[in-house]
Amino acid sequence: NDILDGYVNLTLYVYSNGSCLDVIDNMILFITPPADVYAGDDAAICSTDTYTITDATAANYDHVEWVTSGSGSFNNPNLVNATYTPGSGESGAITLTITAHSNSPCPDSTDQMILTVSQPPQVFAGDDDEICEGSDYKLSSATASDYSSLQWTTSGTGTFDNSGLLAATYTPSPTDIIDGYVTLTLLAYGNSTCADSTDSMYLSITHAASVDAGDDAEICETGTYTLNGSAANHTSVLWSSSGDGSFD
C-alpha cells in the first residue's frame, strides 16, 4: 500500500526521563516507482519501408530515448512509439534499444528489439538471344539477388528443366518453334515485406534450313542439265560438283 500511495509518514517518538514530556516528530518518505519499458516484439521490414514501433510501452519515466545499432534514424527518438527509417543500404538484424529514464532516484530501464531489414530483390533475365530449332537454351546470363525464391515462366508452351533454378534450361515446344519466338520471364520473390521483382528476355527461334537437290537423273554427254533443287529457311545456296564441269 505504501508503494501504491507513493509516500509514507514516519513518526519518531522520544520518551523523556523523569517528569519531562515525551516528544514526537514526523517525516514524509516519498516512494518513486522505477521506470518500466518494453521495446516491442522483434519484426521484419523491407529497406524501402519504415517501421512504427506500435507495441512499445513505457511507464513511470521522465523521458525515453531510442538508439539503433544500424545507420537508420527515428522520426523522434523521444517518442515511445517512434518510427524507424532504415539507412541507405542497411540490411540484416538491427538492434533498436529504448531507454526509459526514471524519475530520481530510481535507475533507468532499457529494453531491445531486433528489426530485420531486407533489401528488395534485383533480377535480370538475360539479354535477348536466338537459338536454332531443335536446340535447348540455358539461361546462363540471368542474375538475381536478395530474393527468397525464383520462378521462370514462358509465354509459350515449352518446358524448363527446373523453373525455380536461376540458370534453368528451356526446351521450346513445337508451337514455340512454329511461332519463331518466346518470352521468358524471371520472377524473384522478395524477402520479408519486400515486393517481388520480374524481368523478361526475348528468345528467337530460327527455323533450320532444309534442302533437296532433286531426284537422280541422266543426260547425254553433249547435253546440259537444269537442276530442279529446292531449299527453305536459307540465306543463300551454293552448288558444287565432284567433277570438273561448271554451273551457270
Side-chain angles (χ1 to χ4, degrees):
N1 289 337
D2 294 344
I3 295 174
L4 292 176
D5 293 338
Y7 70 94
V8 64
N9 283 306
L10 301 180
T11 302
L12 177 62
Y13 293 91
V14 177
Y15 299 96
S16 296
N17 293 309
S19 61
C20 293
L21 296 175
D22 298 335
V23 292
I24 186 172
D25 194 33
N26 295 300
M27 69 162 289
I28 298 177
L29 179 64
F30 293 96
I31 304 170
T32 301
D36 182 40
V37 69
Y38 172 60
D41 295 332
D42 294 344
I45 62 168
C46 190
S47 63
T48 55
D49 299 329
T50 60
Y51 182 70
T52 300
I53 313 167
T54 56
D55 55 347
T57 59
N60 307 319
Y61 60 90
D62 177 69
H63 65 281
V64 300
E65 182 180 11
W66 282 99
V67 295
T68 173
S69 65
S71 59
S73 60
F74 296 94
N75 64 328
N76 185 341
N78 301 122
L79 289 178
V80 174
N81 302 121
T83 297
Y84 183 73
T85 300
S88 177
E90 188 172 56
S91 64
I94 310 301
T95 302
L96 304 183
T97 302
I98 185 172
T99 298
H101 296 276
S102 293
N103 294 298
S104 180
C106 294
D108 299 336
S109 177
T110 64
D111 193 35
Q112 297 177 331
M113 59 90 65
I114 302 298
L115 182 65
T116 302
V117 180
S118 299
Q119 291 292 320
Q122 303 293 322
V123 64
F124 174 59
D127 294 325
D128 295 342
D129 211 343
E130 178 266 343
I131 58 171
C132 185
E133 66 171 293
S135 301
D136 295 337
Y137 184 73
K138 186 174 180 65
L139 293 145
S140 56
S141 62
T143 60
S145 62
D146 300 307
Y147 59 87
S148 60
S149 62
L150 299 170
Q151 182 68 48
W152 281 102
T153 57
T154 173
S155 64
T157 55
T159 58
F160 297 94
D161 62 339
N162 184 342
S163 61
L165 186 67
L166 181 60
T169 296
Y170 183 71
T171 301
S173 68
T175 301
D176 293 346
I177 295 171
I178 292 172
D179 291 340
Y181 73 93
V182 69
T183 299
L184 304 180
T185 300
L186 178 60
L187 169 64
Y189 293 96
N191 292 303
S192 183
T193 59
C194 291
D196 304 333
S197 181
T198 63
D199 190 46
S200 299
M201 60 89 64
Y202 185 89
L203 182 64
S204 299
I205 305 170
T206 302
H207 296 287
S210 61
V211 68
D212 181 9
D215 295 333
D216 295 342
E218 183 229 357
I219 60 170
C220 181
E221 66 177 295
T222 58
T224 60
Y225 185 73
T226 299
L227 294 148
N228 295 311
S230 64
N233 307 319
H234 61 281
T235 57
S236 63
V237 298
L238 177 67
W239 282 102
S240 63
S241 168
S242 64
D244 57 4
S246 62
F247 298 95
D248 59 349

